Amino acid sequence: MPRILDGTRVRDEIKNELKPRVAALAARGRAPGLAVVLVGHDPGSEIYVRNKIKACQELGIYSETLTPPETVTTDEMLGIVEQLNARCEIDGVLVQLPLPRQVNAKRILLAVSPEKDVDGFHPCNVGNLVAGLPGPRACTPAGIIEMLKRYGIQMAGRRAVVVGRSDIVGKPVALLLLHEHATVTICHSKTPDLPSVCREADILVAAIGRAAMITAEYIKPGATIVDVGMNRIDSREEAARIFRNSADKLASFDKKGNVLVGDVDPFDAAEKAGACTPVPGGVGPLTIAMLMSNTVAAAERRAGIC
Ligand code: NAP
């Protein structure tokens, strides 16, 4: 059996380390503050935002949620972001994606002050990442590196393959692995013979969004596998196929009407990998922990502590 890289454990460690930093900021006069802008009523986004606010409450971080209507315009969103940029007690501004069609998401993300950009999506902070300069890093990629470090997974000198080239996961995690001195290959939907490229990986990061696509033929024996995928399966037949008719998983499916699966076939990973992240409970919990970490760091920078 591979070593299980437990994201909930790492999340709790990160949160515990943040608590004294939040207390130190509060003792100087003000706890860190995070503002989340949530447009409309997308159920997935509502759950994410609720969890982010809950994490703030647990840590003593001040938070507020702004909820403009689904019909909000780009100009109105720009006004909201500008007001948050100007407010002293707000250290982090997060615009929950996706935004409705009529809103120009790129203009909104560009409007967030780079020093309050706790998602690490602003081009200034993407530039800081590329140049290896300090600044907030995208949360999911930063969480992946934190997890690999805390489990003592060697990155320097190892071959890393990242499947997926999105701006929020694939590209930043590839750059972070490069900064850790891994030899990095980025793959995508046009990569020929993907299984043979993946089989070269000592560290394989799957950020694709396709349920259980990474099967045994993609995995080098003993590799570390980081499964970023979060795919909700609502076909019982597919769930039965992916989970090899597991009674537990099918009972869970029957209860909820769906089941969560990563981008990696869990049984093939269990057979071939040396270490792997489970889904759920692997990468997922780290994203919010790193958002909290970015918010605290932004508050410290603004307070002149670091
Ligand atoms: P995305 O923007 O849709 O990007 C997917 C990437 O996968 C693209 O680069 C795409 O290639 C590539 N791809 C798609 N099909 C492929 C194939 N058959 N072979 C090779 N590459 C293929 O997705 P994302 O936002 O990066 O998210 C990826 C997954 O991670 C999703 O399941 C998402 O839910 C999950 N996620 C989880 C967390 C977390 O906190 N755990 C956070 C963010 C995302 P092209 O560029 O060529 O189209």
Side-chain angles (χ1 to χ4, degrees):
M1 280 297 281
R3 196 167 165 211
I4 300 299
L5 307 178
D6 180 354
T8 34
R9 204 199 89 190
V10 175
R11 173 198 64 194
D12 292 345
E13 272 176 28
I14 294 170
K15 280 189 177 171
N16 284 334
E17 290 162 12
L18 289 174
K19 281 179 189 164
R21 291 168 61 189
V22 173
L25 283 159
R28 282 170 65 108
R30 185 176 66 73
L34 174 69
V36 181
V37 185
L38 170 65
V39 181
H41 296 285
D42 176 70
S45 296
E46 283 181 337
I47 294 171
Y48 283 134
V49 169
R50 209 179 307 137
N51 289 337
K52 287 169 185 175
I53 300 301
K54 198 171 139 225
C56 285
Q57 286 164 350
E58 278 167 28
L59 292 178
I61 294 175
Y62 168 75
S63 66
E64 62 182 56
T65 310
L66 292 89
T67 54
E70 188 79 43
T71 52
V72 71
T73 64
T74 299
D75 283 346
E76 286 163 346
M77 281 294 288
L78 288 172
I80 292 169
V81 168
E82 270 158 31
Q83 279 182 14
L84 293 171
N85 284 343
R87 279 176 55 194
C88 257
E89 74 280 23
I90 297 297
D91 301 292
V93 175
L94 185 153
V95 179
Q96 184 66 41
L97 301 176
L99 289 170
R101 274 169 181 277
Q102 78 277 7
V103 177
N104 183 332
K106 285 207 164 135
R107 278 186 70 196
I108 306 304
L109 295 182
L110 205 59
V112 174
S113 157
E115 62 166 13
K116 296 191 178 186
D117 166 40
V118 282
D119 258 339
F121 293 163
H122 192 287
C124 279
N125 288 321
V126 176
N128 285 332
L129 165 64
V130 174
L133 295 170
R137 306 295 193 228
C139 299
T140 304
I144 291 169
I145 300 299
E146 200 59 44
M147 162 112 92
L148 294 175
K149 281 186 179 166
R150 286 175 190 245
Y151 272 97
I153 306 282
Q154 190 190 328
M155 292 177 264
R158 311 294 293 282
R159 286 294 307 267
V161 172
V162 178
V163 190
R165 56 175 163 180
S166 71
D167 291 338
I168 60 166
V169 188
K171 280 186 214 161
V173 80
L175 281 159
L176 289 171
L177 285 162
L178 185 64
H179 291 325
E180 295 298 330
H181 312 294
T183 301
V184 185
T185 303
I186 307 177
C187 302
H188 46 77
S189 64
K190 308 287 185 292
T191 302
D193 198 6
L194 186 61
S196 76
V197 182
C198 290
R199 273 198 310 274
E200 291 174 13
D202 301 307
I203 300 170
L204 178 61
V205 180
I208 312 163
R210 300 204 185 272
M213 189 189 108
I214 301 295
T215 50
E217 58 168 340
Y218 293 70
I219 303 171
K220 175 180 179 173
T224 295
I225 300 189
V226 177
D227 189 354
V228 188
M230 303 230 282
N231 310 292
R232 225 162 254 296
I233 302 294
D234 48 20
S235 146
R236 195 177 195 278
E237 209 182 337
E238 199 184 354
R241 180 185 60 79
I242 291 171
F243 291 105
R244 319 282 205 273
N245 290 313
S246 147
D248 280 359
K249 286 286 179 186
L250 287 176
S252 162
F253 181 96
D254 291 336
K255 204 167 151 197
K256 292 192 215 146
N258 61 59
V259 65
L260 196 63
V261 63
D263 289 340
V264 180
D265 184 297
F267 287 80
D268 288 1
E271 253 174 46
K272 290 193 84 174
C276 67
T277 60
V279 175
V283 174
L286 298 171
T287 301
I288 293 181
M290 297 316 290
L291 173 68
M292 298 297 109
S293 173
N294 280 348
T295 304
V296 173
E300 288 172 341
R301 273 196 292 272
R302 293 183 69 236
I305 294 178
C306 66

